[in-house]
Structures are given as C-alpha cells and as structure tokens.
Amino acid sequence: MLEPNIAGGIVGGLLIGSASVLLLAASGQIAGISGILGGLYGKWTDTDRLWRLIFLTGLIAGAGLISIFSHGLTVTLQTQGFQLILAGILVGFGTRLGGGCTSGHGICGLARRSKRSFTATLIFMVTAMVTVYLIRHVIT
Amino acid sequence: MKLLLSIFIAGLLFGAGLAISGMTDPAKVTGFLDITGQWDITLLFVMGGGLLVTIPFFPLVQKKTSPWFSDRYYLPTRKDLDWKLITGSALFGIGWGMSGFCPGPAIAGLVTGSLQIVYFVLAMIAGQLLAVLFEKKL
C-alpha cells in the first residue's frame, strides 16, 4: 500500500483548479481532458485543433517538469495487455458518450453546479469503486 | 498569441498538478477506489484542492461578459439527465477502475515513454471514435 500524500494531493489539486480557472478566464473553455482530446478529431476547424494540441502538449510537459525534479514519475500499472486495452476503450467510449471525465465533470462541472456533472461524477465514482472491489476482493 | 500562451500555461499547471499529487500513478488512483481495502485518501484531497479554487473562481470569471482573449465562453448548456450521460459515465468508471487511468493522467503519463501508456491512450482514442460512430447509428 502507498502512504496517502495529503500535502501533495492538496498542492496538486490547487494547481489543477488554478489551471481550470486560467483556461476558462483566458479562452472561455472548460478544462475537461476527454473533451479537449475528443475535439481533435471530427468536424473542427484548424484553430480549434491548435489550442487543444497546445493544451495537451502543456499537460505532458507539466508532468515532465515535475518528473525531472522528482527523479521520474512512478507508474505502477494495474493491468496489462488485453485488459489494459479494454479499459482504454471503455474510458474513451464512456467519456465521449457521457460528455466528460474526472476533470470536466468532476473539477469543472461541480464548480458550475451542473446537475449533469454531479450525476456523472457520482456514477463513475461508484462503478469504479465496484470494479476495484470486484477485482481485488471477489475475483482474486 | 496571448491566448495560446495562456492555454499552454494552463496545460503546464494541470500536468504539474497531476504529477505532484501522484495521480499519474494508477496505483494511487486504485488505492483510493479500493474503499474496503487499505484506503488511500489522496485523490479526495486532489479533488478537494481543485474544487477549492474552481468553486469560488468560476462564478467570478463568468461574471465577465467575455474571456480575456476569446469572444465567448464555451460552456455546456444541457440540463437533462439522459441515458447517454448515465451509461457513458458508468462505462468510464469501469475502465477507470480496471486501469487506474482517467484521460488526464493517461495523457500526462505519456511523458514517461511507457509503451503500455501509449497503448492505453490509443485505445482511449479508439473508444472515443467508436462512441462517435455509435451515436451516428442511433
């Protein structure tokens, strides 16, 4: 088990919240990562694609900066191969159909007091917890 | 230019936040989701920290008639709870629980060069495209 990192959690959360406020204030866009990614394909203009690419590049670079100062990021894969691919498909399909993920519905939608985002966040938290419960405590 | 620079800085802050909080590690995420196990509450503080900023500042920002460097706000307008929102969110949760990856940390994690994360992100894009096709068939 990993020790909870409360200070890191709060600092990281404050940065994510500030990033969302900055994006909204500067560009009028919601910092929902699944939506920003999803807008890269489909009937969008080139200028619309450009800001999405720039945001996602910044996202990767930001994680990279911290990685440099903390001697690399830890990534402990929870599953591999077919199951990881299936999980990826579910995450992509689900966030598109449901119109958002942890950032868009969770961080931004809740702040907008959106009933849709509140419902979505509740549902994905519950199904994710049930999934982990089944994998860790029932199947194995 | 100012627009794109602020978008880049927003991305940087977002990615740095994910990495500092440890959310780029799927084990921290499943540790939070495993409420009957040895619960790791870090994710709750990440969401709390985020909301601590967005809850007071979103309404303040939206009081301005338009954003600093753009003509209007691009906000969702729907209010109804439809089956797509519910089914989609449920499926997303299953994938999130299986892998410990939601879209932000998965994309940020590409910086590690892990091939498995590349596969995951490609699968995620395929899933989004499938959903687009699926919605067209409806």
Side-chain angles (χ1 to χ4, degrees):
Chain A
M1 182 220 172
L2 295 161
E3 286 299 315
N5 177 5
I6 291 172
I10 294 174
V11 172
L14 291 173
L15 283 173
I16 293 168
S18 309
S20 308
V21 170
L22 173 62
L23 188 69
L24 184 70
S27 73
Q29 296 282 356
I30 291 289
I33 310 301
S34 62
I36 292 176
L37 176 71
L40 283 179
Y41 21 90
K43 49 178 195 298
W44 298 87
T45 60
D46 284 346
T47 37
D48 199 59
R49 282 210 182 87
L50 180 65
W51 82 258
R52 290 164 194 276
L53 274 178
I54 286 176
F55 182 88
L56 295 176
T57 308
L59 182 81
I60 297 170
L65 272 179
I66 302 303
S67 168
I68 292 168
F69 290 114
S70 60
H71 310 289
L73 298 177
T74 313
V75 175
T76 323
L77 290 172
Q78 303 297 292
T79 180
Q80 292 193 35
F82 172 74
Q83 280 194 28
L84 187 70
I85 301 286
L86 178 65
I89 292 174
L90 284 170
V91 169
F93 190 91
T95 52
R96 181 75 182 208
L97 195 66
C101 58
T102 355
S103 49
H105 278 316
I107 303 278
C108 299
L110 293 185
R112 294 175 48 246
R113 297 189 184 84
S114 155
K115 196 173 73 175
R116 277 173 62 86
S117 290
F118 184 79
T119 310
T121 306
L122 196 69
I123 292 174
F124 64 65
M125 282 285 176
V126 169
T127 58
M129 283 173 176
V130 170
T131 303
V132 170
Y133 179 77
L134 290 175
I135 292 173
R136 291 204 177 168
H137 306 289
V138 179
I139 297 172
T140 51
Chain B
M1 203 56 224
K2 280 180 188 165
L3 171 69
L4 296 181
L5 188 65
S6 19
I7 289 173
F8 182 71
I9 293 170
L12 270 181
L13 292 174
F14 205 111
L18 287 173
I20 287 176
S21 61
M23 293 300 108
T24 39
D25 186 0
K28 293 293 284 178
V29 176
T30 53
F32 167 77
L33 295 170
D34 188 14
I35 42 171
T36 65
Q38 285 174 307
W39 198 39
D40 180 345
I41 54 169
T42 310
L43 191 145
L44 204 64
F45 284 91
V46 180
M47 283 211 78
L51 289 170
L52 212 60
V53 184
T54 55
I55 288 176
F57 283 101
F58 266 38
L60 279 180
V61 167
Q62 285 179 257
K63 267 190 193 157
K64 287 197 63 178
T65 43
S66 63
W68 302 334
F69 313 122
S70 162
D71 51 347
R72 67 178 181 93
Y73 292 105
Y74 300 82
L75 301 172
T77 48
R78 289 186 62 170
K79 303 248 184 277
D80 60 310
L81 303 177
D82 64 328
W83 69 269
K84 282 201 232 169
L85 179 88
I86 292 163
T87 316
S89 301
L91 292 174
F92 160 47
I94 296 172
W96 189 34
M98 284 170 71
S99 61
F101 282 124
C102 53
I107 295 173
L110 287 173
V111 79
T112 62
S114 154
L115 205 55
Q116 295 282 332
I117 299 184
V118 174
Y119 294 150
F120 183 88
V121 170
L122 289 176
M124 199 167 74
I125 292 170
Q128 289 201 326
L129 291 171
L130 273 175
V132 174
L133 288 177
F134 174 72
E135 287 190 274
K136 274 186 189 157
K137 296 257 179 201
L138 290 175

